[in-house]
Amino acid sequence: MASSERYFGPEVVDVDEGGLLVRELKAATAFLIGTAPIHEVHVTPAARAAYINKPILIRRQSDITRHFGPVRDGYTIPQKLNAMFSKARTAGIGTICVVNVFDPAVHKDGANTPDPSRVTALDIIGTFDAAGNPSGLKLAYSCYQAYGWFPKILLATGFDGLSGVRAELGVIAGRIRARYLLDAPLGVTVQHVIEARGPSGSFDWQTSDRRAILCWPHMKVVNLDPASSTAGKPIADAYSAHLAGVMLSSVMEYGYHHSPSNRPIAGIEEAAQQVLYIPGDKTSDVQELRGAGIVTVEERWGKGPHVSGNRSAAYPTVTDMRNFIHVQFIEDVMDEAILHFLDEWKDRNANPASLEKVEDRINAYGLSKTVGKDPALYDFRFSFDRKKTTPASIADGWLYWRQDYAPVGLMERLTVERSINIDLIRNALGLATTTDPQVA
C-alpha cells in the first residue's frame, strides 16, 4: 500500500505478501552428549576449551578423531559417532551436534590422571549459568538459534541410566519436538526387559512417553582402541547409537515418514544376545518385545541383523496413532514447518485476504504431502475456524485455526486368510461341472 503522504511523480512500492512458502527444517539431525579423550588431540587448555561443553557439528566420519580424539575404552563419543556413521549409505546420515562434557583438568583419578568415569549425571544434565549460558544437555535448546534447526534425536548413550538424565531427556524432547533413545543395561534378559515396563522390574522403563524409544539388546562390534586389552575383538556396545544411525540414514534415504524398522544394522558383528525370531510365530522373543513397546533386533538365515520395532514407549498403553515412531516424526516436522510459516504472519492485520492466503499456502504444503509415489499423508486440511473465532477474540488479537491430517500407515501386521478350495481341482483337471450336459 502506498504512503498516505502527498507525493508528486512516479514511485515503486513494495508489497508485503507475508510468508510465501511453508518450508521444512532439517529432519536428519541428532544431538549426542558424552565424553571424549580431547587431551590426546588438543594439547593446551585453550585448545581444549573449545571442545568442553561446546556444540560441535559433525557431518563426516573423518572429522571424529580430529575433533574428539580416537576411540578409547571408557570414552563414549568417538565410539558412538563411529557406530552412527557406519550406517551411512549414499545419502549419508545428516548432521550430528556433539557435546563433550569431559574436562581432563577436572575429571581426574587419585593419580591425577584424566578419568572419564568421574563424569557425573549433573555434568550430563547441565545447567544455565547466571548469564543464561547452557551446558550439558541444555545445549540442545541452543541449536535453533545457532544452526536454524532443532535435533530430532537425542542421545546420552552410556549415561541415560543415571538418576535425572532420562527425565531431562524427556523434558527437552517434549519442548523441541525430538525423540530420545534409552538402552537397557548390558546382560539383562527378555524377561527382565519386559518386567522393567512395570513396577517390579530390575531397572526402570516405566514410561508411556511417545518420544521415548526403548532399545534392547546391545550389539557386538570390534573394539577399535589399539591400546585396549580387547583391541580387535568383539565387545558389547549399546544399541541406541546404532539405532540412531539407522534412523538418520532412513530419513536421508527414504524420508522422515518411513519407519526405521526392518532396516539392516550395518557395522556390527551381531547382536550381543540371541533374540529368537520365527516368522509367523506369535510367541517368539521379537513378538513379545515389540508387544511391550521395545525396539529390538531380528536375525534370520540369509538376512543378517535388522531393526525390529515401529513403536515408541507409548505402546501399548497409549492407543493414539502417535505411538508409531514415524507418525510422531511426521507430526513434528509438519508442526515446525507450519509454526515457522505462521511466525511470518504474526502481528499482521487479520483481514480476509490475509486469512485466505494463510489457508491456501498451508493447504498447498499439506496436500503436497499426499501426492506422488511415496506420500507422507493420506489427506490434509487446514482452515480458519470461523466458529471458535469470535468478535471478542478478534478484538483481543486471538484467531483460531483447525488442522486435520491422516498420516500414512504401515504394513506392520499382514494377515492372510487361507482356505482349501476344491473347486480349483476341477479347473486344473478340466473336470465337468454339474451344469455340463451328461456324456452318453
Side-chain angles (χ1 to χ4, degrees):
M1 181 177 178
S3 169
S4 59
E5 294 296 320
R6 184 70 175 179
Y7 171 77
F8 300 93
E11 62 179 333
V12 176
V13 178
D14 286 330
V15 179
D16 184 1
E17 292 287 339
L20 295 176
L21 295 173
V22 182
R23 181 173 290 113
E24 294 177 352
L25 277 64
K26 282 188 175 183
T29 54
F31 180 93
L32 171 66
I33 191 167
T35 57
I38 57 171
H39 51 286
E40 295 195 28
V41 288
H42 306 291
V43 179
T44 66
R48 296 170 187 167
Y51 293 91
I52 301 171
N53 268 310
K54 298 291 191 297
I56 305 295
L57 295 187
I58 299 293
R59 299 186 184 88
R60 295 179 297 272
Q61 192 168 12
S62 58
D63 291 337
I64 298 173
T65 302
R66 177 166 61 91
H67 288 295
F68 295 107
V71 173
R72 288 283 184 260
D73 287 353
Y75 295 91
T76 62
I77 288 175
Q79 170 59 36
K80 305 317 168 191
L81 285 174
N82 276 297
M84 296 168 76
F85 276 99
S86 68
K87 312 303 179 284
R89 302 180 69 182
T90 305
I93 65 167
T95 305
I96 307 170
C97 179
V98 185
V99 173
N100 164 60
V101 299
F102 173 72
D103 185 345
V106 174
H107 302 108
K108 296 181 177 182
D109 60 18
N112 207 34
T113 303
D115 183 1
S117 69
R118 300 303 174 104
V119 169
T120 67
L122 293 179
D123 294 320
I124 298 296
I125 294 169
T127 187
F128 291 101
D129 65 18
N133 299 311
S135 64
L137 279 169
K138 292 177 175 61
L139 281 161
Y141 290 123
S142 65
C143 286
Y144 178 73
Q145 282 73 20
Y147 313 120
W149 47 262
F150 283 116
K152 294 293 181 290
I153 299 172
L154 303 180
L155 287 166
T157 307
F159 302 96
D160 53 60
L162 299 179
S163 297
V165 174
R166 189 185 84 180
E168 186 67 17
L169 285 166
V171 169
I172 296 172
R175 293 189 66 184
I176 67 173
R177 297 182 178 85
R179 57 236 76 241
Y180 58 103
L181 278 57
L182 303 175
D183 286 295
L186 176 62
V188 296
T189 65
V190 173
Q191 180 174 336
H192 292 145
V193 172
I194 294 175
E195 287 176 346
R197 299 290 274 135
S200 60
S202 58
F203 63 99
D204 183 12
W205 264 3
Q206 289 189 89
T207 178
S208 59
D209 189 347
R210 64 177 186 257
R211 298 189 177 279
I213 299 175
L214 310 178
C215 310
W216 182 87
H218 281 49
M219 301 292 117
K220 276 188 180 179
V221 300
V222 172
N223 190 348
L224 299 178
D225 178 4
S228 172
S229 60
T230 58
K233 298 178 181 179
I235 58 172
D237 193 39
Y239 188 8
S240 59
H242 296 275
L243 177 58
V246 174
M247 293 173 69
L248 291 170
S249 176
S250 178
V251 171
M252 293 295 289
E253 290 285 337
Y254 309 108
Y256 57 79
H257 58 297
H258 283 261
S259 169
S261 189
N262 204 16
R263 308 283 184 199
I265 309 173
I268 68 168
E269 300 298 303
E270 59 183 349
Q273 291 169 255
Q274 185 177 12
V275 184
L276 179 63
Y277 173 61
I278 303 174
D281 183 352
K282 298 179 181 179
T283 62
S284 66
D285 293 344
V286 168
Q287 298 295 331
E288 293 295 321
L289 291 162
R290 290 180 62 152
I294 296 161
V295 177
T296 184
V297 61
E298 62 183 53
E299 298 181 76
R300 69 171 182 258
W301 189 88
K303 184 176 182 180
H306 279 56
V307 174
S308 184
N310 297 305
R311 314 276 189 147
S312 69
Y315 187 81
T317 306
V318 178
T319 57
D320 189 301
M321 197 176 176
R322 294 178 186 87
N323 66 44
F324 280 98
I325 295 170
H326 81 289
V327 171
Q328 185 63 65
F329 219 131
I330 290 171
E331 185 171 275
D332 290 340
V333 172
M334 287 200 311
D335 282 355
E336 277 191 342
I338 292 171
L339 286 173
H340 282 78
F341 172 78
L342 289 174
D343 197 58
E344 294 187 69
W345 290 87
K346 180 180 62 182
D347 301 328
R348 299 292 182 260
N349 287 351
N351 55 60
S354 293
L355 299 181
E356 185 176 351
K357 287 178 182 177
V358 170
E359 279 185 335
D360 289 346
R361 288 165 187 173
I362 292 181
N363 274 311
Y365 161 74
L367 291 173
S368 72
K369 302 296 177 186
T370 67
V371 297
K373 295 181 179 179
D374 187 26
L377 306 176
Y378 291 124
D379 205 353
F380 179 92
R381 295 170 188 169
F382 186 89
S383 60
F384 176 54
D385 194 330
R386 288 165 173 80
K387 291 183 179 180
K388 197 168 185 178
T389 304
T390 64
S393 70
I394 290 285
D396 194 37
W398 192 342
L399 284 72
Y400 293 90
W401 304 83
R402 174 78 187 182
Q403 177 185 329
D404 295 285
Y405 79 101
V408 68
L410 299 179
M411 292 187 287
E412 184 180 59
R413 179 173 181 172
L414 294 78
T415 300
V416 177
E417 294 187 351
R418 179 191 61 218
S419 64
I420 295 177
N421 186 345
I422 64 172
D423 286 338
L424 299 178
I425 300 173
R426 188 188 311 277
N427 297 336
L429 300 180
L431 301 179
T433 66
T434 56
T435 58
D436 289 340
Q438 294 294 322
V439 177

